[in-house]
Every structure is written in structure tokens, then in C-alpha cells.
Amino acid sequence: MTDKFSTIEQVANHKINQSKLPDASEVVTSLLELEKCSRKAKTDYSLSDLLGCWSLRFITGTKKTRKRAGIVLGAGKFIPQWLKIQITYESAQQSTPNAGRVKNSVALSFLKLSLSGPVKFVPDKKILAFDFTSLELTVLGVKLYSGYLRRGLEAEANFHDQGLKDQAFFRYFLIKDNLIAARGRGGGLALWSREP
């Protein structure tokens, strides 16, 4: 298990130490092994363990995307350093435990696109459900659009009343101070590292 975690740390820290990255299939194998160990572990997590800004480092895509992307996605893909994909979790300013907000942003040169919305963490399942209800588009630092997506206000109002079967979610199987890893509802794997 230590060996598998070391491979994952190498990927998560690749911007820091510029080390040679392991083979994508080795990363997938390590993630699968850590996911398997997580099912047996009785680790308690809460939304507070996820708070902060995280940069996406590695993805496998969903089963459907892998079929379509074929050789392009392969076993998995490292996120290139010129592409900044970040997810930020914040706690809610309300009495609802394990509720908060998410902001997912993609920055490419002068363009930045951000989606945000509510989240809820289900501790016993290690699941973080989310919905993107608003969008912000910035070009060269100038905000071109900021507002709700179609039916976003309604979706946000009803979010906490919906069951998991109706929501997008990540099932987190690895949460450490410097990195997190999860399987998405569609079956893809993802690995993020904490931004300083």
C-alpha cells in the first residue's frame, strides 16, 4: 500500500518537484488498489476535510468517454501544466452540517470558465454530491458573464431535498492533507493536489 501511495504522491506533487511521472497505467493500478483498501477502512471523513482549493492532476474519464476517446484518453491522462483545472470547496454559512459550495474552474491562457453550486457530503458513504447552478466567464480578467445557468436558481433551491440517485457526485476514497482522489458517478477516477 505504501508503494501505491508513493506513486500517487509523485503525480500529485509533479508541479513541485518536476520529477518524471510514472506510467498512466501504473497510476490507475495504484488508484484502484487504494480505492479497494478504502472500502475496508473505517475512516471517518467530513466536508471540512475537503475544504480548500485543489488542482486536477490525473483523470481516467468515464466508461462512456473512454469508449469514445479510445487511444486519446488511454488508461488515463495527466493534466498538462499549461491547463489549470481547479475545484474549490467551501463550507456553508448555515446550520446544515456537511453542506457547502463548490467552484470548478478551467483556465487556459486569457480565458477562465467557472461553474459553481451547492454540495452536500454524506459521511457514511464518503460521497460528495454537487450541482453546478451558476457560471462565470472571464476573458483577460474582464468578467463577460456571471449568473445562474438555465433553471439554476430552482435547482439550487431544491438541491438538499434530492436523493443521491438524482445528483452528480464523487465518492472520495483518498483524502489527505496534500491530495484527494475520487471516483465519479460515471465511473471515472480523478486525482487532485492541494493548492498552497
Side-chain angles (χ1 to χ4, degrees), residues 3 9 11 14 17 25 32 34 47 49 73-74 79-80 89 98 108 120 124 137 143 148 153 158 167 170:
D3 195 34
E9 274 198 314
V11 175
H14 84 272
N17 59 27
S25 61
L32 291 173
L34 290 166
L47 179 61
D49 296 312
L73 192 58
I79 304 304
Y89 294 120
N98 284 310
L108 177 62
K120 64 182 174 188
D124 58 326
L137 178 63
K143 198 180 293 183
Y148 283 104
L153 187 59
N158 298 325
Q167 296 177 319
F170 287 121

XYZ file of all heavy atoms in Angstrom, residues 3 9 11 14 17 25 32 34 47 49 73-74 79-80 89 98 108 120 124 137 143 148 153 158 167 170:
217
model
N 3.724 1.696 -1.352
C 4.238 1.849 -2.705
C 3.193 2.518 -3.605
O 3.516 3.399 -4.404
C 4.624 0.471 -3.252
C 5.486 0.581 -4.491
O 6.285 1.533 -4.564
O 5.342 -0.282 -5.369
N 1.401 10.150 -4.753
C 2.043 11.389 -4.295
C 2.950 11.972 -5.366
O 3.036 13.182 -5.529
C 2.839 11.141 -3.015
C 1.997 11.245 -1.783
C 2.832 11.432 -0.532
O 3.830 10.703 -0.369
O 2.474 12.308 0.266
N 2.539 11.873 -8.560
C 1.682 12.549 -9.534
C 1.147 13.858 -8.951
O 1.160 14.898 -9.609
C 0.507 11.646 -9.969
C -0.447 12.393 -10.889
C 1.034 10.390 -10.646
N 3.853 16.618 -8.891
C 4.726 16.759 -10.060
C 5.024 18.207 -10.429
O 6.056 18.493 -10.988
C 4.198 15.963 -11.267
C 3.165 16.653 -12.086
N 1.829 16.558 -11.799
C 3.276 17.426 -13.181
C 1.149 17.252 -12.700
N 1.996 17.786 -13.550
N 8.015 19.141 -7.696
C 9.356 18.566 -7.819
C 9.773 18.252 -9.260
O 10.881 17.794 -9.492
C 9.477 17.308 -6.945
C 8.459 16.247 -7.317
O 8.000 16.183 -8.452
N 8.108 15.417 -6.355
N -0.829 3.818 -16.640
C -1.427 2.558 -16.181
C -0.999 2.229 -14.754
O -1.771 1.652 -13.978
C -1.082 1.413 -17.133
O 0.307 1.221 -17.189
N -6.722 2.238 -8.053
C -7.664 1.130 -7.840
C -7.351 0.370 -6.551
O -8.258 -0.021 -5.813
C -7.652 0.182 -9.039
C -8.236 0.745 -10.339
C -8.004 -0.222 -11.493
C -9.718 1.058 -10.180
N -5.781 1.613 -3.885
C -6.123 2.490 -2.760
C -7.637 2.563 -2.565
O -8.116 2.623 -1.434
C -5.530 3.882 -2.979
C -4.006 3.953 -2.858
C -3.474 5.261 -3.415
C -3.563 3.754 -1.413
N -16.998 17.114 5.307
C -16.753 18.149 4.303
C -15.529 18.984 4.676
O -14.769 19.405 3.802
C -17.986 19.047 4.143
C -17.852 20.181 3.138
C -17.597 19.653 1.732
C -19.083 21.068 3.156
N -12.748 18.117 5.682
C -11.519 17.504 5.172
C -11.250 17.882 3.711
O -10.126 17.746 3.226
C -11.597 15.973 5.272
C -11.694 15.494 6.702
O -10.900 15.972 7.533
O -12.559 14.652 6.988
N -7.518 9.050 -24.702
C -7.541 9.017 -23.250
C -6.706 7.859 -22.715
O -6.044 7.989 -21.699
C -8.985 8.920 -22.744
C -9.200 9.167 -21.268
C -8.693 10.538 -20.864
C -10.665 9.041 -20.921
N -6.704 6.750 -23.415
C -5.914 5.604 -22.985
C -6.286 5.164 -21.589
O -7.432 5.224 -21.176
N -2.894 15.870 -16.438
C -3.320 17.203 -16.858
C -2.060 18.019 -17.161
O -1.179 18.134 -16.311
C -4.144 17.895 -15.744
C -5.343 17.028 -15.338
C -4.600 19.280 -16.194
C -6.283 16.633 -16.447
N -1.942 18.568 -18.382
C -0.739 19.333 -18.727
C -0.599 20.584 -17.861
O -1.603 21.157 -17.425
C -0.944 19.701 -20.202
C -2.375 19.458 -20.490
C -2.913 18.523 -19.462
N -13.731 23.836 -2.558
C -14.857 23.541 -1.673
C -14.856 24.534 -0.519
O -13.806 24.805 0.078
C -14.749 22.123 -1.105
C -14.878 21.035 -2.144
C -13.845 20.130 -2.364
C -16.041 20.896 -2.897
C -13.964 19.125 -3.316
C -16.168 19.890 -3.846
C -15.127 19.006 -4.045
O -15.251 18.013 -4.988
N -22.186 19.441 6.926
C -21.673 18.839 5.697
C -22.298 19.414 4.427
O -22.411 18.724 3.415
C -21.818 17.314 5.733
C -20.760 16.699 6.628
O -19.580 17.000 6.503
N -21.191 15.861 7.550
N -7.313 28.734 -19.262
C -6.463 28.458 -20.417
C -6.054 29.808 -20.994
O -6.899 30.528 -21.532
C -7.231 27.635 -21.446
C -6.520 27.301 -22.745
C -5.275 26.462 -22.483
C -7.448 26.550 -23.681
N -23.233 18.655 -0.865
C -23.523 18.042 0.441
C -22.677 16.783 0.541
O -22.528 16.034 -0.428
C -25.007 17.743 0.611
C -25.585 16.716 -0.345
C -27.073 16.532 -0.102
C -27.700 15.623 -1.153
N -29.150 15.578 -1.066
N -21.110 8.623 5.767
C -21.072 7.157 5.836
C -20.779 6.518 4.477
O -20.292 5.397 4.401
C -22.358 6.593 6.448
C -23.606 6.987 5.680
O -23.645 8.100 5.138
O -24.549 6.170 5.628
N -17.753 33.664 -16.726
C -16.813 33.646 -17.842
C -15.996 34.927 -17.811
O -16.562 36.029 -17.796
C -17.562 33.526 -19.176
C -16.697 33.538 -20.434
C -15.761 32.341 -20.465
C -17.578 33.561 -21.680
N -14.832 40.290 -16.602
C -15.964 39.385 -16.437
C -16.985 39.644 -17.547
O -17.562 40.722 -17.638
C -16.596 39.603 -15.062
C -17.466 38.476 -14.603
C -18.081 38.739 -13.238
C -17.025 38.770 -12.165
N -17.592 38.948 -10.821
N -26.826 32.720 -13.043
C -27.364 31.364 -12.965
C -27.449 30.733 -14.347
O -27.703 31.409 -15.346
C -28.747 31.364 -12.323
C -28.716 31.529 -10.828
C -29.050 32.736 -10.234
C -28.335 30.465 -10.014
C -29.016 32.890 -8.856
C -28.294 30.606 -8.634
C -28.633 31.820 -8.069
O -28.582 31.965 -6.707
N -31.343 28.620 -10.423
C -31.896 29.099 -9.155
C -32.835 28.057 -8.558
O -32.778 27.749 -7.368
C -32.623 30.428 -9.379
C -33.120 31.157 -8.140
C -31.965 31.473 -7.196
C -33.842 32.440 -8.525
N -33.760 23.417 -4.650
C -34.221 22.042 -4.413
C -33.090 21.048 -4.139
O -33.354 19.870 -3.907
C -35.022 21.544 -5.626
C -36.258 22.373 -5.857
O -36.890 22.832 -4.912
N -36.600 22.591 -7.118
N -28.417 13.006 -8.379
C -27.361 14.014 -8.335
C -26.027 13.493 -8.866
O -25.759 12.292 -8.828
C -27.173 14.487 -6.882
C -28.398 15.184 -6.340
C -28.235 15.595 -4.883
O -27.704 14.852 -4.083
N -28.712 16.787 -4.566
N -19.051 12.641 -6.354
C -17.753 11.985 -6.274
C -17.769 11.114 -5.031
O -18.218 11.557 -3.970
C -16.601 12.993 -6.112
C -16.281 13.779 -7.352
C -16.355 15.160 -7.346
C -15.872 13.134 -8.518
C -16.040 15.897 -8.475
C -15.560 13.865 -9.652
C -15.640 15.248 -9.630
